[in-house]
Amino acid sequence: MDKLRAIDSRMLMGPGPSDVSPRVLEALGCPTIGHLDPQFLTFLDDTRDMLRVIFQTKNPLTLAVSGTGSAGMETCVVNLIEPGDKMLVCIAGVFGMRMAEVAKRTGADVTTINVPWGQVFDEDQVAGAIDKHGPFKVVGIVHAETSTGAAQPLKEICKVVHDSGGLALADTVTSLGGMQVSVDGWKIDACYSGTQKCLSCPPGLSPVTFSPAAQEVITNRKVPVQSWYLDLNLVCQYWGSERVYHHTAPINMSYALYAACRLLLEEGLQPRWRRHMVHHQALKGGLEALGMRYLADPDHQLPMLNAVAAPDGVDEASVRSRLLNEFNIEIGAGLGEHKGKAWRIGIMGESCTRRHVEACLGALGLILSEQGVTGDAEAGVAAASASYSAWQAEPTAE
Ligand SMILES: Cc1ncc(COP(=O)(O)O)c(C=O)c1O
């Protein structure tokens, strides 16, 4: 117990997990009850209703998979794909690569297309790949690529996929709850997310939703889903009216997700997206004033995940470790091609406040000025303040 009490709380400003509200932590500590207890089942139903609002969908097949975002990815792929089915994966970073790997292991006939890291796909590129190598049963893409900080034009790409008769699969692990994700409006057929990013819940569940067309594909499979645990035809017997035991639901994590969804909906979807944009603009102004360059295409930068090149000559790992050990601030390292060269600064959910932005810029300014990288330690905070002043007329900036 002493070791648990000694845990230092941090400001979580990496690529996830993000800070968790005391209300969500309190929910985690509620009494554990049985997974078939009628009291518990009402939480599942309420959470599913709230997830529909958050995903902006009416899809009956909406639930939280027991497992992190990768389990959601795997659930979508294994349920939609049968051996030999053709799938196109659009790769713009590490998580697109992961989706392609999952698809290959499922026995799909996988085609991949790539853009340079930090760039986004044009719908014509996707249409071209479908014309040349398709048709595809499923086309998968990561909306918010956490390794690069770029947002893909999901709406446009889903349209192209639909026009070709395929199913559009979207990873919204980082985007959901921090920017618009409109499952019905954009005609996304299968969509998964994670709890530990903009939903600001601990990691452990993966909200998923499937369109009626995707659900039909799953119901009418010729061969059983290769993963027994993630087989939605079985899992749905628990989430549906039958309430048949499949696996033991993660009870306390389900309370936490319930509380996190409530918090999000109390704030409102649009105010929440706007809050992420307000703080992103301030953080961006501050990071650029400290001499940092964003890695993603300027027209497609994510608000919640700010990937920047570490300044030349700076040992990025030692800066991150000073932020953690001296300031209790966690930021993320570069992934894949950006390893050792970049920082990924997350402002997700509870971590998306003026306090977080200014603390991070203040600490980074101090460390970088000590290393002679910037002459003005306060330049970052000053630029952020100017950005907040520009938003001043807007009431939701904290
Ligand atoms: C875009 C994206 N997809 C998938 C994942 C995998 O999620 P998890 O680590 O929760 O399994 C992540 C995790 O960072 C992610 O950022």
Side-chain angles (χ1 to χ4, degrees), residues 7-42:
I7 294 174
D8 277 330
S9 68
R10 311 284 199 193
M11 287 183 122
L12 296 178
M13 301 189 67
S18 55
D19 282 355
V20 176
S21 152
R23 265 177 66 184
V24 173
L25 292 175
E26 202 186 317
L28 271 174
C30 287
T32 303
I33 57 177
H35 59 277
L36 291 169
D37 185 321
Q39 273 191 99
F40 177 68
L41 296 171
T42 65

Side-chain angles (χ1 to χ4, degrees), residues 336-365:
E337 295 185 1
H338 295 148
K339 191 167 186 293
K341 297 186 261 187
W343 292 315
R344 291 178 304 143
I345 305 180
I347 42 169
M348 303 179 179
E350 291 288 307
S351 297
C352 184
T353 72
R354 184 166 185 166
R355 184 172 66 86
H356 286 80
V357 168
E358 292 187 344
C360 181
L361 290 171
L364 261 178

Side-chain angles (χ1 to χ4, degrees), residues 286-316:
L287 291 171
E288 289 178 344
L290 291 173
M292 271 164 268
R293 180 180 56 78
Y294 271 64
L295 298 172
D297 178 332
D299 295 330
H300 298 277
Q301 276 161 11
L302 289 171
M304 71 291 286
L305 194 281
N306 296 260
V308 290
D312 286 344
V314 168
D315 173 4
E316 73 78 23

Side-chain angles (χ1 to χ4, degrees), residues 15-16 68-71 73 95 98 142 144-147 171-174 192 194-197 203 344:
T68 63
S70 305
M73 182 189 285
F95 294 100
R98 184 176 298 184
V142 176
E145 182 47 81
T146 326
S147 57
D171 174 319
T172 62
V173 170
T174 288
Y192 59 91
T195 44
Q196 76 274 23
K197 310 243 181 189
R344 291 178 304 143

Side-chain angles (χ1 to χ4, degrees), residues 166-242:
L167 297 171
L169 162 60
D171 174 319
T172 62
V173 170
T174 288
S175 49
L176 191 73
M179 64 193 286
Q180 186 177 10
V181 172
S182 211
V183 167
D184 289 357
W186 299 351
K187 297 193 164 52
I188 304 171
D189 291 288
C191 189
Y192 59 91
S193 190
T195 44
Q196 76 274 23
K197 310 243 181 189
C198 294
L199 300 181
S200 264
C201 196
L205 289 174
S206 175
V208 296
T209 187
F210 293 84
S211 69
Q215 187 173 355
E216 204 180 311
V217 164
I218 297 170
T219 313
N220 295 322
R221 290 178 61 95
K222 292 188 201 70
V223 296
V225 175
Q226 80 181 161
S227 163
W228 178 87
Y229 191 70
L230 301 175
D231 183 343
L232 288 175
N233 288 319
L234 302 177
V235 174
C236 283
Q237 292 176 17
Y238 173 65
W239 276 80
S241 52
E242 302 97 314

Side-chain angles (χ1 to χ4, degrees), residues 105-165:
R105 291 183 185 206
T106 306
D109 173 3
V110 180
T111 301
T112 56
I113 51 174
N114 292 264
V115 283
W117 283 38
Q119 299 297 308
V120 299
F121 285 94
D122 180 75
E123 64 265 35
D124 293 340
Q125 264 171 293
V126 180
I130 294 174
D131 281 348
K132 190 161 171 207
H133 306 287
F136 294 98
K137 182 179 188 184
V138 177
V139 177
I141 187 159
V142 176
H143 183 207
E145 182 47 81
T146 326
S147 57
T148 67
Q152 300 295 325
L154 193 52
K155 180 180 175 188
E156 291 74 11
I157 289 171
C158 287
K159 177 165 187 326
V160 162
V161 175
H162 266 270
D163 291 349
S164 76

